[in-house]
Amino acid sequence: MRLKLPTQAASILPLVLLLVAVATGGFLSGMLASSKTASPQIIRTAADANAVRASSLWMIGYIVLIVTLAWTAFVSIAIIAAHLKAVGLWITGVATGLAMLVGHASSIESAARPGSVMTTIDRATQLPIHSTAVVSSTLALGVVTLVVAAAVALGRRPNGILSESQLRSRLGEARLFLFSAAATLASALVSIYFTMVWPIDLPTVSSSPIPNGVLKELAITVTLASGIFYSAMLVVLFVPSAIIHERWIEESWNAARDHVPNQSRANWLSENGLDRSLADTGVQIVAIAAPWLAAIGLPQL
């Protein structure tokens, strides 16, 4: 039950991610260059420099979000393909497609509401920033569906007791899944925060429905609430799989100790690469808390 990836797909993945980053960055750079309030070409004063800084942070945050979404989608699809059967694959595919449609429709509806945050950002930047939000929301809901399906796949029990190599594979997949999901959720928070605070450093927009002070507090509140929610999501997704894997390890040890009566459980775990060091556990806890930590740190920038 190892995570088997097609050799060709795995070898070109870094190139694909690089192309995604370059294409996204090129599109956003061209968009910013056409703005009268966010373009690097407008720098004349310190205020202009602050505006360009805010624009650059937004662009970088958005690029990182798109790249991490692509990476997490790839990891999730690989796990799903390795452990779910045909029915599960069909259900996952249909659910992902429907989720993307819902994300697309809800993002468009939200951006169209008069006085919304996205309307304020569009007016301040003089750019159709809502279109980038539509893209990211569409992709995000699709990836969320894949992540949930991958979490289910990680806890799906195969026939019989797993061998030591199969257990190592499952533990490795679970760690990769956790770190990928944590990176994506943290980057989503970064993108949300920099998008919402962007107008604060841009020239004042007449008749803005949301004052800058309110916008700042709103960004902090939304980011913090989202950070707590995202970390809770990681707990819900990862901890059940970790508990199930520990039960599988215990079953394998009970089956193996009859053949190695003089070996302790600790030695067996260490010999087969199944032991969890304090450092490993600490890193995983930090990964789960990453969205919450990001939410706390962003307002300090």
Side-chain angles (χ1 to χ4, degrees):
M1 306 301 293
R2 302 186 65 176
L3 184 57
K4 297 179 181 179
L5 304 178
T7 303
Q8 186 176 6
S11 63
I12 66 172
L13 178 60
L15 178 59
V16 171
L17 294 178
L18 179 61
L19 290 176
V20 169
V22 171
T24 305
F27 174 77
L28 297 181
S29 296
M31 177 184 288
L32 291 177
S34 65
S35 172
K36 296 180 180 179
T37 62
S39 172
Q41 301 173 1
I42 68 170
I43 296 181
R44 298 293 185 275
T45 64
D48 294 337
N50 288 335
V52 172
R53 173 181 176 273
S55 303
S56 300
L57 289 174
W58 168 78
M59 182 175 69
I60 293 170
Y62 190 85
I63 293 172
V64 172
L65 172 61
I66 296 300
V67 172
T68 54
L69 282 172
W71 165 257
T72 302
F74 179 85
V75 170
S76 299
I77 290 172
I79 292 173
I80 292 166
H83 303 304
L84 292 186
K85 295 182 179 180
V87 175
L89 296 177
W90 275 103
I91 293 174
T92 300
V94 172
T96 301
L98 292 175
M100 293 179 71
L101 290 176
V102 170
H104 184 269
S106 62
S107 182
I108 291 178
E109 189 273 334
S110 176
R113 287 201 303 266
S116 67
V117 173
M118 194 53 63
T119 301
T120 301
I121 296 169
D122 281 358
R123 185 180 302 170
T125 59
Q126 299 181 17
L127 293 171
I129 300 302
H130 67 274
S131 62
T132 62
V134 170
V135 173
S136 59
S137 297
T138 302
L139 294 177
L141 274 189
V143 172
V144 166
T145 306
L146 291 174
V147 165
V148 172
V152 172
L154 283 172
R156 181 177 177 275
R157 183 181 180 86
N159 295 326
I161 297 175
L162 273 71
S163 66
E164 290 84 348
S165 62
Q166 289 174 326
L167 287 171
R168 282 196 302 273
S169 237
R170 284 296 180 103
L171 294 180
E173 292 169 15
R175 282 193 292 268
L176 179 60
F177 169 76
L178 171 62
F179 296 147
S180 300
T184 300
L185 292 175
S187 64
L189 279 178
V190 171
S191 181
I192 291 171
Y193 180 78
F194 285 140
T195 300
M196 292 185 69
V197 300
W198 193 2
I200 296 175
D201 289 317
L202 297 177
T204 302
V205 183
S206 59
S207 65
S208 175
I210 305 178
N212 283 350
V214 175
L215 196 60
K216 176 74 171 181
E217 292 302 320
L218 180 62
I220 293 174
T221 302
V222 170
T223 304
L224 182 59
S226 299
I228 295 172
F229 175 69
Y230 290 168
S231 288
M233 280 181 57
L234 288 176
V235 171
V236 172
L237 289 171
F238 180 74
V239 171
S241 296
I243 294 173
I244 291 172
H245 293 167
E246 285 297 326
R247 292 181 58 185
W248 291 348
I249 290 173
E250 189 64 28
E251 291 176 356
S252 296
W253 160 243
N254 290 334
R257 64 181 174 180
D258 295 333
H259 304 290
V260 285
N262 297 324
Q263 189 176 30
S264 67
R265 185 177 187 275
N267 289 336
W268 178 79
L269 289 172
S270 178
E271 183 180 288
N272 291 286
L274 300 175
D275 54 334
R276 294 174 182 267
S277 68
L278 186 60
D280 290 338
T281 302
V283 169
Q284 292 175 6
I285 292 174
V286 170
I288 290 175
W292 174 65
L293 294 174
I296 293 176
L298 282 169
Q300 310 304 322
L301 296 178

